[in-house]
Amino acid sequence: MSKLIGEQQLMRIFIGEADRHGHRPLYEVLVELLRSEGFAGATVLRGICGFGANRVYHTQKLLDLSADMPMVIEVVDFEEKITAIMPQIDAMMGGGMITLEKATVIRYSHDPKKL
């Protein structure tokens, strides 16, 4: 997939760790959707603290390991693919935020030794 090199689009999806789609974690459902639709890749990042539109501050304390921590799903691919999948993603989200920006891909490849 070296054709991904060059100017692409970066989508960031901001949700909470406790967000669900059905009975499953929303971040897992979103990553599986992106994979099934042939996206170049997706990464889920777990934040250590944050707040969103409801202004509730989420942080992980030593005694509170089940806090609803912020999650960010990052996806880089062609703008057309991201635009096409957006309605499906939006329908799965109850709250949260989605941002888009331009990204320049310098390198995109896999290590054939890891296959």
Side-chain angles (χ1 to χ4, degrees), residues 10-15 30 73 82 85-91 93 95-101:
L10 165 63
M11 174 173 58
R12 286 192 180 107
I13 305 168
F14 297 82
I15 59 174
L30 290 172
I73 299 111
I82 289 176
I85 198 86
M86 196 70 73
Q88 285 179 266
I89 292 172
D90 193 45
M93 295 177 62
M97 179 173 66
I98 300 173
T99 64
L100 300 173
E101 60 187 83

Side-chain angles (χ1 to χ4, degrees), residues 16-34:
E17 188 174 19
D19 291 346
R20 298 279 185 261
H21 184 71
H23 298 291
R24 299 186 54 219
L26 179 58
Y27 65 89
E28 287 182 2
V29 175
L30 290 172
V31 169
E32 287 177 9
L33 170 66
L34 294 163

Side-chain angles (χ1 to χ4, degrees), residues 37-114:
E37 293 294 324
F39 277 74
T43 300
V44 178
L45 307 167
R46 185 174 189 258
I48 58 172
C49 69
F51 69 92
N54 64 4
R55 311 292 297 168
V56 173
Y57 184 68
H58 300 272
T59 185
Q60 187 170 8
K61 304 286 185 189
L62 185 59
L63 300 175
D64 183 16
L65 298 178
S66 62
D68 182 19
M69 301 307 293
M71 306 288 283
V72 179
I73 299 111
E74 291 195 342
V75 182
V76 176
D77 214 309
F78 297 104
E79 182 177 0
E80 298 79 19
K81 286 183 79 169
I82 289 176
T83 300
I85 198 86
M86 196 70 73
Q88 285 179 266
I89 292 172
D90 193 45
M92 292 178 175
M93 295 177 62
M97 179 173 66
I98 300 173
T99 64
L100 300 173
E101 60 187 83
K102 295 294 180 187
T104 302
V105 177
I106 305 299
R107 184 173 199 275
Y108 178 70
S109 64
H110 70 279
D111 185 349
K113 295 179 276 185
K114 292 186 178 181

